[in-house]
Amino acid sequence: MSKAATFMSCGDHHQLSLECPHVMGILNVTPDSFSDGGQHAVADAALRRAEKMLLEGASIIDVGGESTRPGATPVGVQQEMDRVLPIVERLTGELGALVSVDTSAPEIMTAVASAGAGMINDVRSLRRPGALEAAAATGLPICLMHMVGEPDNMQNDPRYARPVEDEVAAFLAQQIERCLNAGIAGERLLVDPGFGFAKTLAHNLRLMNRLEYLQRLGYPLLVGTSRKGMIGRALSREVDERLYGGLALTTLAISKGAWIIRTHDVAASADAVGMTSAVLKEGK
């Protein structure tokens, strides 16, 4: 990122300040997501949920039409398109929302960009055939995430030869280089360490404890730990009991340089982000 940049352009209608952290509200329009599967699959329900998250303090709504929870199987492109595209059209057209789309399919990237989406969020870091070229052509910001394998096998005994923070940084640096070589400007890139993706609890805890290590990459950092298994395993909590643990991780992530917090629980997370930021800005 350019040191002079103070915002990231997200399509034709939105600019996202780089000088303060943001909350990204999760809107899954899938029947099988691990936390809220099926709740927002109907367009009107999805619209109402997105509107509520915007009122609660979300700067971005992240729409996903394919579950990437551990063990999930891929869906067809047409099925994903049918789930995602109408929602993106309504969120941008009726609410004027800044919409991110969680997808790895080049066809979806092209379609949602035309529908007004402002960001692409790809857990596979544009490694599907055609994704790099499609993402480049959209002109939108792109979030690159660390994951080894695929959702259906990524948690099958993940192991790394080096400390996990080194592995994640090296992987993300490689994906950044691919993007730059494809003509994608650095000002369009952000990175996600991929908590819960191809990582044991020990990996996740170490990575969070050393999250500032990833700042050396020089790109804005998105963190998503909302309701994830690392909280359940560390605290022995079920999915619907993980809010407080998630807020602790949000506070830690912001204190270690995270720019975007991706969450199901927008109101509580927005307060945690705002309060942490207020303390960190004290005296500046």
Side-chain angles (χ1 to χ4, degrees):
M1 294 291 292
S2 167
K3 291 184 178 180
T6 59
F7 61 85
M8 179 177 283
S9 294
C10 301
D12 296 331
H13 304 292
H14 297 279
Q15 293 181 339
L16 203 57
S17 173
L18 291 163
E19 298 183 332
C20 63
H22 299 275
V23 173
M24 172 185 277
I26 298 170
L27 185 65
N28 287 319
V29 289
T30 59
D32 57 345
S33 292
F34 81 97
S35 174
D36 56 355
Q39 292 183 24
H40 312 302
V42 178
D44 286 342
L47 195 73
R48 288 193 299 271
R49 175 60 182 152
E51 189 170 25
K52 183 173 187 290
M53 289 193 289
L54 292 169
L55 290 171
E56 290 174 341
S59 300
I60 317 160
I61 304 297
D62 192 47
V63 178
E66 177 189 22
S67 176
T68 53
R69 63 180 173 79
T73 55
V75 301
V77 171
Q78 189 57 54
Q79 186 177 23
E80 185 180 355
M81 186 81 76
D82 292 343
R83 291 173 177 176
V84 167
L85 189 57
I87 301 298
V88 173
E89 291 173 339
R90 292 193 67 181
L91 293 181
T92 58
E94 298 179 35
L95 299 182
L98 170 50
V99 176
S100 166
V101 178
D102 185 352
T103 187
S104 300
E107 300 91 340
I108 307 294
M109 295 175 190
T110 301
V112 298
S114 296
M119 184 179 291
I120 302 297
N121 181 18
D122 185 4
V123 300
R124 297 175 179 85
S125 293
L126 307 180
R127 288 181 291 158
R128 277 189 175 170
L132 183 62
E133 295 78 10
T138 67
L140 298 179
I142 302 149
C143 184
L144 307 169
M145 195 193 79
H146 174 269
M147 178 175 68
V148 177
E150 288 287 329
D152 63 350
N153 59 32
M154 65 184 179
Q155 289 302 108
N156 294 347
D157 193 27
R159 296 170 183 260
Y160 299 104
R162 295 178 291 177
V164 66
E165 67 274 16
D166 289 324
E167 293 281 355
V168 169
F171 174 92
L172 291 173
Q174 183 180 39
Q175 306 316 312
I176 290 165
E177 188 67 21
R178 287 178 62 238
C179 290
L180 297 177
N181 289 339
I184 299 172
E187 287 75 15
R188 289 172 52 193
L189 298 177
L190 57 157
V191 297
D192 179 347
F195 286 99
F197 287 78
K199 296 171 185 71
T200 64
L201 175 59
H203 290 144
N204 287 315
L205 296 177
R206 180 182 175 101
L207 189 56
M208 179 59 75
N209 198 31
R210 292 161 176 79
L211 191 63
E212 63 272 22
Y213 182 88
L214 298 182
Q215 291 190 47
R216 65 185 60 191
L217 291 169
Y219 291 84
L221 182 63
L222 184 153
V223 170
T225 57
S226 179
R227 304 183 186 176
K228 285 192 174 177
M230 65 180 290
I231 304 169
R233 288 188 287 276
L235 302 179
S236 299
R237 295 287 186 266
E238 297 300 322
V239 171
D240 60 354
E241 301 173 326
R242 297 174 185 174
L243 172 61
Y244 303 131
L247 293 176
L249 294 176
T250 290
T251 298
L252 281 169
I254 293 296
S255 71
K256 292 172 178 289
W259 179 50
I260 295 176
I261 297 296
R262 183 178 182 272
T263 182
H264 302 85
D265 302 297
V266 170
S269 298
D271 276 358
V273 168
M275 194 68 247
T276 306
S277 298
V279 173
L280 293 175
K281 289 177 181 177
E282 184 276 325
K284 293 185 179 179

